[in-house]
Amino acid sequence: MRLLVLGGTLFLGRHVARAALDRGHEVATFTRGITGSPPDGVRALHGDRDDAAALPAALEGWAPELVVDTSCQTRAAARHAAAALAGVRGYAFVSSLNAYRNWPPGPLGPEDGEPTWTTDDDEYGPVKAYAERELAAALRGRFLTARAGLIVGPHDPVHRLGWWLERIARGGRVVVPAEGLDQPIAAVDARDLAGWLVAMAERGESGAVNATGPVGMTTLGGLLAICRRVTGGDAEWAPTPEADLLAAGVEPWVHLPLWLPAGMARTAWDVDTARARALGLPGRPLEETVADTWAWLRTGERKPPPHGLPEPGLPPELEARLLAAG
Ligand SMILES: NC(=O)c1ccc[n+]([C@@H]2O[C@H](COP(=O)([O-])OP(=O)(O)OC[C@H]3O[C@@H](n4cnc5c(N)ncnc54)[C@H](OP(=O)(O)O)[C@@H]3O)[C@@H](O)[C@H]2O)c1
């Protein structure tokens, strides 16, 4: 079938385009043409989603039957897609757990029982929630929204797992959150999510799905141990109590990526993913995800984080101070 990826040249969307080709579809991407090119074999359509005329103009002569939407970040982008693509057979949309009003901190039960944002500000979560409503109303029963948690894997520009890999590969004493090592963590490999999104669009599945790894799939300490095995470095953990990290000005999630203070971690990683499992969202071994991400990072192809997100990581002077104190 003709499958349109809204997005498709950076991370998740790139894997969606690849998966759709592998599943035998005729694939086009729609982007501004700033970030890069889609995989070979994909028709590259260009335009700005925020411009109402751009999508209809780009689709002149090429009417998609399926859509996977990885690039929606504004209310206008959602409205324009709803207007131009209401007739497709299946539309899989990439939203976020941030669409929920109570996450973070969570916990999150089954999708239907959890309220989403209804405010009209332009924060990330409310925009995703609005986009879901606009598109669901236009697509009626052919719209699935994947509320993604942490997405990892090759081509990840956000660089949270990537920063840990690079830091651990450099070796020596590495500041790690003492209590945080036991905190649960869950992630989905972008390639698993991508193939599943294509399958969901093909099947015309609908409704909301918490699209992340199962609760308890690993801990932060477990993930960092895999990073050390995969990079083969001689890194030695320097466990630092949460109180010392916070007192020194370490920003959770940003300076030590994937780390949340204990009070938040207890609930934020507690997300019901029963529907994702029932709909067959796969989860390859984390070791494979980490190894493939490390192999890709060493190609030096990583782009800066998108949407103005900060470069993650512990500033060197802060790390030196913490190591000296510890
Ligand atoms: N990373 C995570 O852990 C995480 C967690 C939860 C949810 N998410 C969601 O997952 C998705 C991840 O997507 P990705 O960045 O990996 O997808 P992607 O489709 O690979 O990359 C984003 C694409 O959007 C295009 N784009 C940006 N602005 C555009 C515009 N105004 N008009 C047309 N195209 C535009 C970019 O190309 P051009 O720049 O060339 O236009 C690029 O191809 C996002 O929706 C994000 O909100 C991510």
Side-chain angles (χ1 to χ4, degrees), residues 8-13 32 34-35 48-49 70 124 128 149 151:
T9 58
L10 186 58
F11 175 37
L12 178 61
R32 293 165 304 177
I34 294 171
T35 300
D48 189 332
R49 291 191 65 164
T70 57
Y124 180 64
K128 287 286 192 190
I151 307 173

Side-chain angles (χ1 to χ4, degrees), residues 185-201:
I185 201 165
V188 61
D189 187 299
R191 297 164 295 181
D192 290 335
L193 181 56
W196 179 81
L197 287 164
V198 174
M200 293 302 98

Side-chain angles (χ1 to χ4, degrees), residues 25-119:
H25 295 294
E26 192 186 325
V27 184
T29 53
F30 178 79
T31 71
R32 293 165 304 177
I34 294 171
T35 300
S37 308
D40 286 348
V42 171
R43 180 187 301 243
L45 305 176
H46 291 131
D48 189 332
R49 291 191 65 164
D50 292 327
D51 169 0
L55 194 48
L59 294 177
E60 192 82 29
W62 196 88
E65 296 160 285
L66 305 176
V67 176
V68 179
D69 182 347
T70 57
S71 67
C72 188
Q73 301 291 343
T74 64
R75 289 168 190 264
R79 280 196 301 273
H80 300 153
L85 297 165
V88 299
R89 296 162 65 141
Y91 193 122
F93 177 78
V94 180
S95 182
S96 164
L97 295 179
N98 289 93
Y100 290 114
R101 220 170 54 202
N102 301 331
W103 192 93
L108 289 175
E111 293 82 352
D112 290 349
E114 297 287 348
T116 56
W117 287 102
T118 52
T119 50

